Amino acid sequence: MSGHADTPWRTIHSAHHHCGWDNAIAPVTTVAPGETLTLQCLDAAGGHYNPESTAADIATMDPARVNPVTGPVFVDGAEPGDALKVTIRDFAPSGFGWSAIIPDFGLLADQFTAPRLHLWDYDRTARTPGVFSTHARVPLKPFAGTIGVALAEPGAHDIIPPRRTGGNMDIRDMAAGTELYLPVEVAGALFSVGDTHAAQGDGEVCGTAIESAMDITVTLDLVKGGAPAFPRFSTPGPVTRHLDAKGYEATTGIGPDLMTAARDAVSGMVDHLSRWRDLAPEDAYLLCSVCGDLRISEVVDAPNWVVSFYFPRIVFE
């Protein structure tokens, strides 16, 4: 079979997944630098939800099995101090997804204490906007929420916090065409990926995106001696083109603490959407998470900083 960079030559099944970072996990395959492969990824709940699920199913989700990642993949010749270059080629979405308000999780967990589940049925081929309600449709941009390599420290490490080697970064721009550079800390790098999303806003403020199983095709290469201190990436073009056409509604939070300002900005948008579009606050919060963007607007005018929250008006067109 060919190992040409544009033709995947092997597929790693989602059965080969793990739910934490541990450099003792045996690799499922070995690739040479420059090879391309496809990894089948489960959603963030490991397939817990289906089209008949309800909010009651949130309570039975096993927290020890969230964010499964497919792998690890051993990259021949990768050594500590190298950079693993991951070129994201494409995604094959499943067409089914979910978003949820999970008690005790999310930026406004103290304000939204009851579970809520929204199920998505989107066109996996045309990738037209996902229907949230009669009047709200969310443009899609598939990406990998969790993507990284093993840490040097031995033992099991929680999958939820992002780390210097990547992991659960939830950066919406880990999309097709992006080139990601990860610092290698162990021989072979031990690359894994999962937690795929059909769409998400910057911040993922309620704690979930449009969580959706899908296949991801990547090319893995090495930059010898080129490890960055933290992950860095290059995008192939504009990153919000799918949202920009109709402009934005924006709210702000201002004060001496960035996290408090972020909460104030999101709370303001939830209130604004609830009044402007006659949405239940829970639905406004979910929409903010799947397509609204938190931005740090100012960090130099001490003692107060400005955080803004942008919501794309195209959702209601």
Side-chain angles (χ1 to χ4, degrees):
M1 295 182 182
S2 171
H4 188 275
D6 292 324
T7 306
W9 72 283
R10 71 183 81 182
T11 297
I12 309 302
H13 193 275
S14 60
H16 298 291
H17 69 265
H18 54 101
C19 296
W21 299 105
D22 189 335
N23 61 30
I25 298 174
V28 299
T29 193
T30 298
V31 299
E35 287 194 13
T36 296
L37 68 161
T38 295
L39 300 98
Q40 298 178 343
C41 299
L42 298 169
D43 66 69
H48 178 73
Y49 299 107
N50 61 61
E52 283 72 50
S53 292
T54 68
D57 294 312
I58 293 174
T60 62
M61 186 172 63
D62 183 356
R65 299 183 62 81
V66 300
N67 273 35
V69 287
T70 302
V73 175
F74 188 100
V75 182
D76 197 26
E79 299 173 322
D82 295 342
L84 180 68
K85 178 185 177 183
V86 183
T87 302
I88 301 174
R89 298 290 179 184
D90 199 8
F91 292 85
S94 63
F96 171 75
W98 60 273
S99 304
I101 297 175
I102 300 170
D104 301 317
F105 189 58
L107 187 64
L108 304 181
D110 57 327
Q111 299 179 33
F112 294 91
T113 58
R116 195 175 188 91
L117 180 68
H118 181 81
L119 303 176
W120 301 82
D121 178 15
Y122 62 89
D123 190 322
R124 58 188 294 179
T125 303
R127 302 186 190 181
T128 49
V131 176
F132 183 81
S133 67
T134 305
H135 303 295
R137 296 182 298 277
V138 174
L140 305 182
K141 183 180 179 180
F143 75 98
T146 302
I147 184 168
V149 295
L151 291 154
E153 292 84 355
H157 301 272
D158 189 356
I159 197 77
I160 296 300
R163 303 179 185 276
R164 64 180 182 270
T165 53
N168 190 28
M169 298 184 290
D170 284 319
I171 299 173
R172 178 182 59 200
D173 303 318
M174 295 297 108
T178 289
E179 295 176 347
L180 170 66
Y181 296 83
L182 297 166
V184 175
E185 294 194 351
V186 299
L190 300 180
F191 170 81
S192 299
V193 63
D195 182 31
T196 42
H197 299 159
Q200 182 201 287
D202 277 340
E204 196 186 24
V205 294
C206 88
T208 61
I210 300 182
E211 310 289 339
S212 183
M214 59 185 76
D215 299 350
I216 176 174
T217 299
V218 299
T219 300
L220 302 180
D221 212 338
L222 293 176
V223 180
K224 299 299 291 182
F230 297 95
R232 67 175 177 86
F233 59 95
S234 301
T235 71
V239 296
T240 56
R241 189 160 39 198
H242 62 306
L243 300 173
D244 289 340
K246 300 297 181 179
Y248 292 82
E249 297 291 310
T251 51
T252 63
I254 301 173
D257 181 79
L258 282 173
M259 185 61 75
T260 300
R263 285 170 46 85
D264 289 343
V266 175
S267 292
M269 184 57 71
V270 169
D271 291 343
H272 176 57
L273 293 178
S274 297
R275 292 191 302 268
W276 177 43
R277 306 304 303 192
D278 194 27
L279 292 172
E282 295 81 2
D283 287 340
Y285 187 35
L286 282 171
L287 281 172
C288 284
S289 197
V290 301
C291 62
D293 292 341
L294 270 173
R295 300 182 186 177
I296 297 175
S297 297
E298 180 272 308
V299 289
V300 296
D301 298 325
N304 292 331
W305 327 126
V306 180
V307 177
S308 302
F309 191 81
Y310 286 70
F311 190 90
R313 288 201 294 261
I314 197 171
V315 169
F316 299 117
E317 292 294 322

Coordinates of all heavy atoms in Angstrom, one line a residue, residues 45 48-49 53-66 102-103 115 117:
A45 N -18.3 11.5 24.7 CA -19.0 10.6 25.7 C -18.8 9.1 25.3 O -19.4 8.3 25.9 CB -20.5 10.9 25.8
H48 N -22.0 7.3 24.3 CA -23.1 7.1 25.4 C -24.4 7.6 24.9 O -25.5 7.0 25.3 CB -22.6 8.0 26.6 CG -23.6 8.0 27.7 ND1 -23.8 6.9 28.5 CD2 -24.5 8.9 28.2 CE1 -24.7 7.2 29.4 NE2 -25.1 8.4 29.2
Y49 N -24.5 8.6 24.0 CA -25.8 9.1 23.6 C -26.1 8.6 22.2 O -25.3 8.3 21.4 CB -25.7 10.7 23.5 CG -25.4 11.3 24.8 CD1 -24.2 11.9 25.1 CD2 -26.4 11.3 25.8 CE1 -23.9 12.4 26.3 CE2 -26.1 11.9 27.1 CZ -24.9 12.4 27.3 OH -24.6 13.0 28.5
S53 N -31.8 9.6 23.1 CA -31.3 10.0 24.4 C -32.1 11.2 24.9 O -32.6 12.0 24.1 CB -29.8 10.3 24.4 OG -29.1 9.1 24.2
T54 N -32.2 11.3 26.2 CA -32.8 12.5 26.9 C -31.8 13.0 27.9 O -30.8 12.4 28.2 CB -34.1 12.1 27.6 OG1 -33.8 11.2 28.7 CG2 -35.0 11.3 26.6
A55 N -32.2 14.1 28.5 CA -31.4 14.8 29.5 C -31.1 13.9 30.7 O -30.1 14.0 31.4 CB -32.0 16.1 30.0
A56 N -32.0 12.9 30.9 CA -31.8 12.0 32.0 C -30.6 11.1 31.8 O -30.0 10.6 32.8 CB -33.1 11.1 32.2
D57 N -30.2 10.9 30.6 CA -29.0 10.1 30.3 C -27.7 10.8 30.7 O -26.6 10.2 30.8 CB -28.9 9.7 28.8 CG -30.1 8.8 28.4 OD1 -30.3 7.9 29.2 OD2 -30.7 9.1 27.4
I58 N -27.7 12.1 31.0 CA -26.5 12.8 31.4 C -26.0 12.3 32.7 O -24.8 12.1 32.9 CB -26.8 14.3 31.5 CG1 -27.1 14.9 30.0 CG2 -25.6 15.1 32.1 CD1 -27.5 16.4 30.0
A59 N -26.9 12.0 33.6 CA -26.5 11.5 34.9 C -25.8 10.1 34.9 O -25.1 9.8 35.8 CB -27.7 11.4 35.8
T60 N -26.0 9.4 33.8 CA -25.4 8.0 33.7 C -24.2 8.0 32.9 O -23.6 6.9 32.7 CB -26.5 7.0 33.2 OG1 -26.8 7.4 31.8 CG2 -27.7 7.0 34.0
M61 N -23.7 9.1 32.4 CA -22.5 9.2 31.7 C -21.3 8.9 32.6 O -21.2 9.6 33.7 CB -22.3 10.5 31.0 CG -21.1 10.6 30.1 SD -21.1 12.1 29.1 CE -21.0 13.4 30.4
D62 N -20.4 8.0 32.3 CA -19.3 7.7 33.1 C -18.1 8.7 33.0 O -17.5 8.7 31.9 CB -18.8 6.3 32.8 CG -17.7 5.8 33.7 OD1 -17.2 6.6 34.5 OD2 -17.2 4.6 33.5
P63 N -17.8 9.5 34.0 CA -16.8 10.5 33.8 C -15.4 9.9 33.6 O -14.5 10.6 33.1 CB -16.8 11.3 35.2 CG -17.5 10.4 36.1 CD -18.5 9.5 35.3
A64 N -15.2 8.7 33.9 CA -13.9 8.0 33.7 C -13.7 7.7 32.2 O -12.6 7.3 31.8 CB -13.8 6.8 34.6
R65 N -14.8 7.8 31.4 CA -14.7 7.3 30.0 C -14.9 8.5 29.1 O -15.1 8.3 27.9 CB -15.7 6.2 29.8 CG -15.5 5.0 30.6 CD -16.5 3.9 30.3 NE -16.3 3.4 28.9 CZ -15.4 2.6 28.5 NH1 -14.5 2.1 29.3 NH2 -15.3 2.2 27.2
V66 N -14.8 9.7 29.6 CA -15.0 10.9 28.7 C -13.8 11.2 27.9 O -12.7 10.8 28.3 CB -15.5 12.1 29.4 CG1 -16.8 11.9 30.1 CG2 -14.4 12.6 30.4
I102 N -24.0 20.2 31.5 CA -23.7 19.1 32.5 C -23.6 19.8 33.9 O -22.8 20.7 34.0 CB -22.5 18.4 32.1 CG1 -22.6 17.7 30.7 CG2 -22.1 17.3 33.1 CD1 -21.4 17.2 30.1
P103 N -24.4 19.4 34.8 CA -24.3 20.0 36.2 C -22.8 20.1 36.7 O -22.1 19.1 36.5 CB -25.2 19.1 37.0 CG -26.2 18.6 36.1 CD -25.4 18.4 34.8
P115 N -29.5 19.6 34.2 CA -29.0 19.0 32.9 C -29.9 19.4 31.8 O -31.1 19.5 31.9 CB -29.0 17.5 33.2 CG -30.1 17.4 34.3 CD -30.0 18.6 35.1
L117 N -30.0 18.5 27.3 CA -29.4 17.8 26.2 C -30.0 18.2 24.9 O -31.3 18.3 24.8 CB -29.5 16.3 26.4 CG -28.9 15.4 25.3 CD1 -27.4 15.5 25.3 CD2 -29.4 14.0 25.5

